């Protein structure tokens, strides 16, 4: 099959996306697919390319997996384009993706997760992996997705929303609380706040990434994550950090990496319940193909932290490790995401 892995984009998680997408592209090539990786925002200069078809290859490409911990701002990213233009779809991107049988969405953060790219692909009749525009938008917005969960009796930490244009609030919970941008990811802009005196700073910091910031009750407990692939819950993975919490450094920098254990050392009935809640969350948020639901567990039970419609696919990421525990290699996981979507859409390729 011909696959475009769509990567990069304009979000603060651009670097994470480029790194994981290069791995995904090679994994799909190893399965015999003809794959081209395309940077959504920078696009492709076709002046020096004889034929667009030449971009697709089943040969392994060099991968640079070092992820910068630099948090990119919109200005940093806009500066990457030499002509000063800022539209999301870079030069020739639509031309190239329309040559593919299916697009693997390798984006992270805002651009790919909020569903807008999926909507553009839908409008152009281009099939793609993962969830559609509505589910992506819901899952990306932590405030909205928590409301949908609460309505469906899925336990999640209580929260209030603080709006940038009217930033008045009282914290109705005991400290510590968690302050996070409603639309965000990779723990960027998220802080655990110990006292009222730190609140103003934390909320302001959150506003750098979104105009709505959530203040959540801090749930003390063990942290788990559980992937769903083509309707099946993977074994959960436990995340533990020696120092602090599961922040950006622990997520992406190998020298401070969190410890993972999958399958987790928990009672079977808790694991089964976590799987059932993950599948239910996946369904009520209208997610499709694959995704990941994150949990906290303590004496009061299981809390959903958030749903990820585009879970990380770097070597340190959770879903690939869970799949491994289920006997599914990284290459097989990437392939089953693509093939699962192809099957769900009833696509037929020679
Ligand atoms: N309500 C909470 N109570 C305790 N820890 C939390 C809570 N919300 C988030 N966290 C911690 O912060 C991390 C990042 O928060 P999350 O909502 O998953 O945002 P992101 O989209 O950035 O991953 C979680 O993995 C967890 O360790
Ligand atoms: Mg998270």
């Amino acid at each position: 099959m011909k696959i475009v892995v769509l990567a990069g984009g304009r979000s603060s998680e651009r670097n994470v996306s480029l790194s994981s997408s290069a791995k995904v592209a090679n994994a799909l090539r190893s399965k015999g697919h003809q794959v081209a990786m395309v940077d959504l925002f920078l696009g492709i200069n076709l002046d020096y390319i004889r034929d667009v078809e030449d971009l697709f290859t089943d040969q392994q490409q060099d991968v640079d997996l070092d992820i910068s911990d630099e948090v990119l701002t919109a200005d940093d990213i806009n500066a990457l384009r030499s002509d000063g233009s800022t539209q999301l779809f870079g030069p020739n991107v639509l031309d190239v993706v329309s040559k593919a049988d299916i697009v693997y969405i390798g984006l992270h953060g805002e651009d790919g997760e909020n569903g807008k790219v999926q909507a553009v692909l839908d409008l152009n009749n281009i099939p793609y992996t993962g969830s559609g525009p509505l589910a992506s938008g819901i899952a990306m917005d932590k405030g909205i997705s928590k409301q949908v969960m609460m309505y469906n009796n899925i336990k999640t930490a209580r929260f209030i929303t603080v709006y940038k244009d009217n930033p008045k609030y009282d914290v109705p919970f005991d400290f510590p609380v968690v302050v996070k941008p409603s639309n965000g990811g990779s723990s960027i802009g998220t802080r655990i706040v110990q006292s009222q005196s730190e609140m103003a700073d934390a909320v302001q910091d959150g506003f750098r990434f979104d105009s709505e910031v959530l203040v959540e009750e801090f749930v003390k407990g063990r942290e788990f994550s559980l992937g769903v692939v083509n309707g099946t819950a993977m074994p959960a993975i436990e995340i533990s950090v020696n120092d602090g919490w599961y922040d950006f450094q622990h997520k992406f920098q190998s020298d401070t990496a969190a410890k993972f254990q999958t399958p987790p050392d928990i009672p079977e009935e808790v694991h089964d319940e976590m799987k059932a809640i993950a599948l239910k969350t996946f369904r009520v948020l209208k997610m499709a193909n694959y995704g990941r639901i994150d949990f906290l567990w303590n004496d009061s039970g299981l809390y959903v932290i958030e749903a990820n419609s585009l879970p990380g696919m770097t070597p340190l990421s959770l879903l690939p490790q869970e799949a491994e525990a289920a006997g599914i290699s990284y290459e097989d996981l990437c392939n089953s995401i693509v093939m699962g979507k192809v099957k769900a859409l009833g696509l037929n390729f020679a």
Side-chain angles (χ1 to χ4, degrees), residues 275-294:
K275 287 181 178 174
I277 296 171
L279 290 170
K280 181 177 177 182
T281 305
F282 198 85
R283 190 174 59 243
V284 302
L285 298 183
K286 297 177 174 284
M287 293 164 76
N289 194 198
Y290 77 112
R292 214 190 67 220
I293 316 293
D294 298 340

Side-chain angles (χ1 to χ4, degrees), residues 87-332:
Q87 75 271 28
L88 178 56
F89 276 66
N92 305 309
V93 169
L94 264 180
D95 296 337
V96 178
V97 297
S98 61
K99 297 280 191 296
D101 297 317
I102 188 165
V103 173
Y104 181 103
I105 308 249
L107 301 162
H108 275 259
E110 196 106 29
D111 286 338
E113 282 190 67
N114 63 17
K116 291 180 185 172
V117 171
Q118 289 82 349
V120 170
L121 297 178
D122 275 347
L123 294 175
N124 285 278
N125 275 330
I126 299 166
Y128 53 86
T129 57
S131 295
L134 179 59
S136 303
I138 294 172
M140 182 68 192
D141 189 304
K142 292 186 170 78
I144 295 291
S145 56
K146 282 168 75 76
Q147 289 178 57
V148 175
M149 287 181 224
M150 286 170 167
Y151 181 82
N152 286 283
N153 298 316
I154 294 167
K155 196 150 63 174
T156 181
R158 291 186 299 157
F159 72 104
I160 56 163
T161 307
V162 185
Y163 301 91
K164 193 174 188 172
D165 59 3
N166 183 22
K168 291 199 191 79
Y169 60 92
D170 286 311
V171 180
F173 325 115
D174 291 337
F175 285 90
V177 295
V178 182
V179 176
K180 59 175 89 162
S182 187
N183 285 272
S186 296
S187 301
I188 295 169
T190 295
R191 286 206 214 166
I192 295 177
V193 173
Q194 303 294 338
S195 68
Q196 182 65 47
S197 63
E198 299 165 35
M199 279 303 293
D201 250 18
V203 168
Q204 276 313 315
D205 195 45
F207 284 150
R208 290 201 297 139
F209 303 97
D210 190 21
S211 59
E212 292 181 19
V213 163
L214 305 189
V215 180
E216 285 185 24
E217 195 169 31
F218 180 83
V219 176
K220 193 172 165 44
R222 287 164 68 183
E223 182 164 349
F224 301 86
S225 181
L226 203 154
V228 175
V229 181
N230 300 326
T232 303
M234 297 286 117
I237 191 167
E238 178 162 13
I239 299 148
S240 41
V241 297
N242 287 330
D243 49 326
W245 58 286
Y246 194 36
D247 57 8
F248 186 90
Q249 270 68 32
H250 288 102
K251 283 179 178 172
F252 299 111
Q253 313 279 288
S254 49
D255 49 337
T256 54
K259 290 200 174 50
F260 302 117
Q261 184 174 340
T262 178
D265 183 17
I266 52 173
E268 203 175 308
E269 60 273 19
V270 174
H271 198 183
D272 287 345
E273 193 189 349
M274 207 186 291
K275 287 181 178 174
I277 296 171
L279 290 170
K280 181 177 177 182
T281 305
F282 198 85
R283 190 174 59 243
V284 302
L285 298 183
K286 297 177 174 284
M287 293 164 76
N289 194 198
Y290 77 112
R292 214 190 67 220
I293 316 293
D294 298 340
F295 291 90
L296 289 163
W297 178 51
N298 64 21
D299 291 347
S300 317
L302 287 161
Y303 292 78
V304 172
I305 305 175
E306 63 154 347
N308 296 283
S309 62
L310 282 176
M313 293 291 280
T314 72
L316 284 179
S317 297
L318 305 171
L319 180 57
Q321 295 190 55
E322 294 171 26
E324 189 89 41
I328 303 166
S329 69
Y330 184 75
E331 288 76 15
D332 285 339

